[in-house]
Amino acid sequence: MPDQLANSYYRATANVWERRLAFSGDESFDVAVIGGGFTGLSAALACAEKGLKVALFEAHSIGFGASGRNGGQLIPGLRWSMREIDEEFGRERAQAIYDLAYGAVERVKSRIAKDGIQCDLKAGHLEAAFKPDHYRAMQRDAEYLAKEFGWESEIVDPKDMGRHINGGGYHGGIYDRQGGHFHPLNYTLGLAKAALDAGVVIFEHSPVLKIAGNQACTANGIATAQSILLAADNWMGDLDRALGGYTVPIMNYNIATAPLPDADSLLPSDAAVADSRFVLNYFRLSADKRLIFGGGEKYVQSPPADIAAFVRKHIVDVFPSLAETPIDYAWGGAVGVTMNRLPHMGRKGNVFFAHGFSGHGALVTTLAGELLAEAVTGTMERFDVFANLPQQPFPGGRLFARPLATLGLLWYALRDRL
Ligand SMILES: Cc1cc2nc3c(=O)[nH]c(=O)nc-3n(C[C@H](O)[C@H](O)[C@H](O)COP(=O)(O)OP(=O)(O)OC[C@H]3O[C@@H](n4cnc5c(N)ncnc54)[C@H](O)[C@@H]3O)c2cc1C
């Protein structure tokens, strides 16, 4: 991935992190974790807290992937509503999925509290309806979630949207005070520091090039481990071609404006907002009152020539008054998306894996890491709730999966404009 994509507001405001050395030599561990994002770090930390000897290998620097670049939106649940999950899987499985997916909110909050992670955590998430029928569907889903599972959120009438957002012309929404937003790179670095304190050995600039049995091999060393945890998201295919077929990377772009004098009037409740377009706009205020805005995605990996101009079109749709506001940072990253938008977790012998959180990873990955740690210590029950979610690879194999997925995604994006 080109470096310019990592030139983000988050990098510029990252907490101090002392770079870790690359791996070399031969060493044995109980667990080798591949990937230094939310999933891998949470897994490594949870394994170390269980008394295991753990090494974590990150190809670049901690937080290089989606975890250090995302919108920071903390959206409870998965991409499917609980109504859809209930209908598809039946109540018993739906309840188990609910317990994990919505329980993930508490896992992140308690990590932040327990490990004293400074990451600008704020409460409140608003889902804003782009069309009136989206609002009606949101209402139905929110009512179902409250009645059947006990998760309370607030239905926001179109005329009351100004309490949360002044812009966008949205047709109502759902405000969830248990959701929120944070500085994702500083959360990632906080997890990494906690992992170090718990005894995890972290190696940066140490891409694992091959997994052979119980060995993870880098250019300069071989780590032998009883269990290997694969948490490399969009790069799984480099190590396991078959696993790579389960996701496609969708490029998504973010900007941070200069600090805004009128920030609080644009987003009075300081909620993070995501709208209901298929290619959604999502935005929030940073701690220093910049607008952090994500909008527009691309199905080829090369970034637009001017990321700021690419995203600005979408900002102006929501906040026309920001047409000339300076944009200080612009960056992007790849969202790992599965066919059905549910995460893909499982086990292949001594290798346990989790990826494909499909744009809903900021909360659930911390829990997924903890489930990986439970699985390596032989407790499979909760891990299996996610591992048993149905998944299939994208059709088309290595050559055609991406173009075929692209066609499907373009069709859905087009529907928003009709
Ligand atoms: C632009 C963008 C915006 C997003 N916005 C949101 C949002 O607002 N809310 C939300 O819930 N989700 C969002 N997401 C999704 C969310 O960020 C991801 O689901 C989550 O970060 C995935 O975490 P992860 O640890 O599984 O993967 P990653 O964070 O991608 O970490 C994987 C790591 O593995 C490393 N790696 C890869 N291969 C190897 C190897 N061979 N050896 C060693 N290391 C390797 C990579 O360098 C990388 O650091 C967004 C994603 C993007 C890209």
Side-chain angles (χ1 to χ4, degrees), residues 33-41 57-75 125 182 184 188 203 206-210 218 230-236 238-239 250-254 282 284 294 331-336 354-365:
V33 179
I34 302 171
F38 298 148
T39 308
L41 288 161
F57 301 86
E58 165 53 49
H60 303 272
S61 52
I62 291 296
F64 172 87
S67 301
R69 301 158 184 253
N70 64 62
Q73 306 236 339
L74 303 174
I75 313 165
H125 188 274
F182 68 3
T188 313
F203 300 102
S206 302
V208 172
L209 304 175
K210 190 171 75 171
T218 68
L230 193 41
D233 203 28
N234 284 296
W235 297 271
M236 298 292 239
D238 297 347
L239 289 168
I250 305 296
M251 295 307 295
N252 204 270
Y253 298 96
N254 279 235
Y282 54 99
R284 66 191 185 86
W331 68 98
V335 184
H355 66 151
F357 295 92
S358 304
H360 254 53
L363 283 171
V364 87
T365 43

Side-chain angles (χ1 to χ4, degrees), residues 186-361:
N186 280 339
Y187 178 67
T188 313
L189 294 174
L191 283 180
K193 282 189 186 131
L196 285 177
D197 290 346
V200 175
V201 192
I202 295 180
F203 300 102
E204 291 183 292
H205 303 282
S206 302
V208 172
L209 304 175
K210 190 171 75 171
I211 298 172
N214 62 349
Q215 293 185 327
C217 310
T218 68
N220 297 312
I222 295 178
T224 304
Q226 280 159 25
S227 303
I228 296 176
L229 305 188
L230 193 41
D233 203 28
N234 284 296
W235 297 271
M236 298 292 239
D238 297 347
L239 289 168
D240 183 319
R241 190 174 279 201
L243 279 184
Y246 282 82
T247 62
V248 290
I250 305 296
M251 295 307 295
N252 204 270
Y253 298 96
N254 279 235
I255 61 88
T257 64
L260 300 175
D262 59 345
D264 295 334
S265 67
L266 298 179
L267 294 168
S269 66
D270 204 5
V273 182
D275 73 23
S276 61
R277 287 172 169 89
F278 181 74
V279 179
L280 76 167
N281 291 323
Y282 54 99
F283 41 92
R284 66 191 185 86
L285 297 176
S286 63
D288 57 355
K289 304 287 182 191
R290 298 165 188 274
L291 184 73
I292 309 247
F293 193 103
E297 55 191 28
K298 280 186 100 214
Y299 307 117
V300 292
Q301 280 196 282
S302 56
D306 183 343
I307 296 176
F310 179 79
V311 177
R312 192 189 287 277
K313 293 188 298 251
H314 303 281
I315 301 177
V316 173
D317 280 348
V318 182
F319 300 116
S321 64
L322 301 185
E324 303 296 329
T325 297
I327 291 177
D328 287 350
Y329 303 94
W331 68 98
V335 184
V337 172
T338 60
M339 275 275 278
N340 64 8
R341 307 293 185 273
L342 294 173
H344 185 214
M345 289 179 64
R347 174 182 193 171
K348 284 180 155 187
N350 65 323
V351 178
F352 299 79
F353 60 86
H355 66 151
F357 295 92
S358 304
H360 254 53

